[in-house]
Amino acid sequence: MERCRNPWHKECSESDIEVYIQLKGERLPICRRCWGKIAEQDMEW
């Protein structure tokens, strides 16, 4: 089972993957909780 690999919250190990993001050429799975936090912020990657 795939786990969240949020680069800004490395301790997360949730498995409810919501989206995948591309960061520095790597495809990272992001869980629902982390994606909600990322989506609220004004960040670029």
Side-chain angles (χ1 to χ4, degrees):
M1 185 176 293
E2 218 168 17
R3 299 281 181 204
C4 182
R5 293 184 50 210
N6 181 350
W8 300 282
H9 185 237
K10 296 186 186 292
E11 299 80 33
C12 184
S13 62
E14 295 290 322
S15 61
D16 62 334
I17 303 305
E18 179 81 11
V19 298
Y20 290 85
I21 62 170
Q22 190 82 19
L23 182 65
K24 297 180 183 178
E26 188 174 5
R27 184 175 176 240
L28 303 173
I30 306 295
C31 74
R32 182 179 307 268
R33 184 181 342 161
C34 287
W35 179 244
K37 291 177 184 177
I38 292 169
E40 291 175 0
Q41 296 179 2
D42 183 24
M43 70 170 57
E44 288 185 34
W45 60 81

